[in-house]
Amino acid sequence: MRILGIDPGIATVGFGIVDSERTALHMVQYGAILTAAGLPLATRLYQINQDLEELITKFRPDAMSVEELFFNTNITTGIAVAHGRGIILFTAEKLGVPVFEYTPSQVKQAVVGYGKAEKRQVMDMTKRLLKLRSVPRPDDAADALALAICHARSATSLLRQNPFAKPTV
């Protein structure tokens, strides 16, 4: 199964592509979609859509794993991320890629084994699980790879083998 992990944003959208075969994981590609700060929001959203369409067309993922939105202290940043997340979900639906959403705690649990792990622990385990020489940069790409790992582990779980389970979109 090929999984495209996405860490949503506006300025930086992290992506990570992982192939999963049973318990074996292989990193295919990672990076970030970047948009310039001075551009209008609509232009930035359009660029995210175009770049994501190109990624999906090139790598043909079987599933997309996206971080659920959670608001911290800055509501303005949260709203901007929500716009970007909306475009990401729209693009996946348009291209027929099933979307699975995970909270930060679910990702930490799947990657580290502890739902309240520190960000550094998640990044280090992502590096180890994918047998990488160093932690992927930018951080958004490392987060996206962790999201892909989370889905790989969730998709092979006995709990997910329910024939009535459906992806969320």
Side-chain angles (χ1 to χ4, degrees):
M1 172 190 308
R2 178 162 284 181
I3 304 159
L4 171 58
I6 296 288
D7 183 30
I10 288 289
T12 307
V13 176
F15 70 87
I17 303 164
V18 171
D19 283 343
S20 171
E21 177 97 22
R22 299 183 193 241
T23 59
L25 297 169
H26 172 72
M27 190 280 298
V28 176
Q29 183 71 270
Y30 67 84
I33 297 170
L34 305 173
T35 65
L39 296 175
L41 178 61
T43 303
R44 295 172 91 177
L45 295 173
Y46 179 77
Q47 182 181 341
I48 291 167
N49 169 258
Q50 294 299 296
D51 290 355
L52 187 55
E53 278 192 22
E54 188 177 317
L55 270 175
I56 291 170
T57 301
K58 180 176 180 180
F59 291 102
R60 303 212 176 278
D62 300 302
M64 183 185 291
S65 176
V66 181
E67 186 173 69
E68 281 189 12
L69 185 61
F70 101 100
F71 286 92
N72 201 356
T73 53
N74 190 339
I75 191 92
T76 305
T77 301
I79 291 170
V81 171
H83 287 305
R85 197 170 173 282
I87 285 296
I88 290 161
L89 298 176
F90 166 80
T91 304
E93 179 67 19
K94 178 180 172 186
L95 297 179
V97 180
V99 174
F100 299 84
E101 300 175 74
Y102 298 96
T103 65
S105 293
Q106 289 172 312
V107 175
K108 291 172 182 179
Q109 180 69 39
V111 175
V112 178
Y114 177 58
K116 294 183 180 181
E118 297 293 322
K119 184 174 183 78
R120 182 69 25 216
Q121 292 172 295
V122 176
M123 295 174 110
D124 185 56
M125 281 303 295
T126 297
K127 178 187 92 165
R128 289 178 186 206
L129 290 168
L130 296 174
K131 298 175 179 72
L132 304 174
R133 290 184 186 158
S134 60
V135 172
R137 296 283 179 232
D139 287 356
D140 307 87
D143 292 344
L145 286 168
L147 278 151
I149 292 167
C150 177
H151 182 67
R153 291 187 160 186
S154 297
T156 58
S157 165
L158 292 175
L159 296 174
R160 295 287 290 157
Q161 293 181 10
N162 175 353
F164 303 107
K166 294 188 172 141
T168 59
V169 176

